Amino acid sequence: MGFTSRAGGNGATTTTTTTQGRSFVTQSRQQNEAMQPAVSSAPVEIEAMDGQRMTVTFDDVRNFICKEATIAECRIFLETCKQYHLNPFTKECYLIHYDTKNSDSASTIVLGKTCYMKMAEAHPQYDGFEAGVIVMDEAAGELIHREGSIVYQGETLVGGWAKTYRKDRSRPFYEEVNFSEYDAKKSLWVTKPATMIRKVALVHTLREAFPATFGGLIDESEVPVDVEAGFRELSAEEAAAAGTVPPRRRIQKPKKEEPAPLAVEADEVEGDPFANAGTGGDEQ
C-alpha cells in the first residue's frame, strides 16, 4: 500500500510506500485459524492398510509430522490418510513444508516409499508393471533402455522409463522421465540415483493409469527435500496412546514336557544279559 504526502514551503512532493510485513501476514493467518469452527479440529479416526486403528489429533500432526501445518492442512492431511488407509506414524504418508524460510507457504502431502505399490496392487484392474533406466553408452554413442536400475561403468544415467498395465486397457501406460529434472543432489539421489529415477517414472505411469486413486498425491521420490527431516518417531507410550500399536501381551511358552520313564516288564529284566551290569560282576 502506498500514499503521497506534500511537504510545505518548496512544494516538493515526497512519496512513501508502506508494505505489509511478514508479521502482519502471520498474524492474519493465526486470526483466520482462530475463526475456524472448533469442530474442524476434531480428531480423525484412521484405519490403516494393515488393519490398525488409530485416533490422530491436529496436535499429533504438528508435534510429529509437520510443525508448520495450519488447521486446514492438518484436516486435509488426516482426511487423506483416512481415505487411503495410510498410517502417518509409520512413514506411509508425510506432510512436507518446502519453504523453511517462509512459514506462510503451503504444505504438501507426500506418500511414503511403498504406498503407491500397495495401493495399486489393491486395485482390481491392476495388471503389473515394467520399469527401468535410460543410459547413454559413451563408447558406442548409444542410448539404452534397460529394465531394472543398474548403470555400468562407462555409462551415463539419462532418465527412467516405466509401463503400467490395466486389465481393462489394451495398451500399457508408458512414461519416460529426465534424470536432470528430478535430481535433487541430496539424500537418496546421491547414493541411489538410478533407483530413484526409475521410481519417478513408475509413479508417473501409476498416476496416469489410476487417476481416481493417485490424482492428487505425490511420491517422496518426486520432491526436492528430505521427507523425513520434520518427522519424529513416536515413543512406545505415545504410540500406545494413539492406538497405532496393540498392547503387548505376554506370551507364556508351554512347559517342556519331560518324557515319561520307560516301563520295563519283569520278564524283559530276567532275560536281559546286561541287567546286572555295574553291580560288581556275575553272581556265582
Side-chain angles (χ1 to χ4, degrees):
M1 178 178 67
F3 63 90
T4 301
S5 59
R6 293 186 177 276
N10 57 7
T13 301
T14 303
T15 302
T16 304
T17 302
T18 304
T19 59
Q20 292 180 337
R22 178 181 170 186
S23 59
F24 177 83
V25 177
T26 304
Q27 182 180 4
S28 300
R29 178 187 181 191
Q30 294 173 347
Q31 290 176 348
N32 291 336
E33 287 192 7
M35 294 174 63
Q36 295 186 35
V39 68
S40 67
S41 59
V44 176
E45 294 185 1
I46 300 172
E47 181 179 0
M49 284 184 277
D50 60 1
Q52 290 193 67
R53 295 177 179 271
M54 66 206 76
T55 301
V56 188
T57 66
F58 286 22
D59 287 339
D60 291 333
V61 176
R62 285 170 163 169
N63 290 335
F64 303 109
I65 300 169
C66 183
K67 63 181 179 180
E68 297 90 356
T70 65
I71 290 178
E73 289 170 344
C74 288
R75 168 61 61 186
I76 295 172
F77 174 72
L78 292 179
E79 290 296 338
T80 300
C81 291
K82 180 178 180 180
Q83 177 183 351
Y84 293 104
H85 303 287
L86 304 174
N87 187 337
F89 298 126
T90 57
K91 303 179 183 179
E92 291 184 349
C93 192
Y94 300 89
L95 186 61
I96 306 298
H97 189 77
Y98 286 86
D99 191 353
T100 57
K101 297 181 180 180
N102 183 8
S103 61
D104 299 316
S105 60
S107 300
T108 304
I109 298 174
V110 179
L111 288 190
K113 296 176 181 176
T114 60
C115 282
Y116 263 90
M117 292 310 305
K118 286 182 180 179
M119 294 164 66
E121 289 174 355
H123 197 286
Q125 298 301 331
Y126 176 69
D127 199 27
F129 75 93
E130 298 175 64
V133 293
I134 306 172
V135 298
M136 172 61 74
D137 186 329
E138 301 295 344
E142 180 183 2
L143 199 63
I144 302 173
H145 290 62
R146 178 180 297 132
E147 193 165 0
S149 55
I150 188 170
V151 178
Y152 295 107
Q153 187 174 1
E155 296 177 340
T156 301
L157 181 62
V158 176
W161 65 270
K163 294 180 182 179
T164 292
Y165 296 86
R166 285 185 58 137
K167 298 175 183 178
D168 58 350
R169 299 290 190 275
S170 60
R171 300 177 182 177
F173 292 83
Y174 182 78
E175 181 69 59
E176 293 185 7
V177 293
N178 194 323
F179 176 72
S180 62
E181 291 184 12
Y182 293 92
D183 180 18
K185 294 180 174 56
K186 62 178 65 176
S187 188
L188 291 177
W189 284 101
V190 176
T191 58
K192 299 180 179 180
T195 299
M196 295 297 284
I197 196 62
R198 173 183 177 272
K199 188 181 180 185
V200 170
L202 177 57
V203 166
H204 279 210
T205 61
L206 287 171
R207 207 153 36 217
E208 292 183 0
F210 305 100
T213 302
F214 301 113
L217 300 177
I218 299 175
D219 182 76
E220 64 176 347
S221 60
E222 299 176 289
V223 296
V225 296
D226 184 0
V227 295
E228 297 186 16
F231 184 93
R232 183 168 74 83
E233 296 283 357
L234 272 70
S235 65
E237 294 77 11
E238 292 166 336
T244 61
V245 292
R248 293 184 177 180
R249 292 181 298 176
R250 189 174 182 179
I251 301 176
Q252 295 182 348
K253 295 182 179 180
K255 292 183 178 180
K256 187 176 181 180
E257 296 183 0
E258 295 293 336
L262 183 62
V264 182
E265 298 294 337
D267 57 348
E268 292 179 355
V269 175
E270 292 177 358
D272 187 357
F274 303 101
N276 295 324
T279 59
D282 297 341
E283 294 182 0
Q284 300 295 331

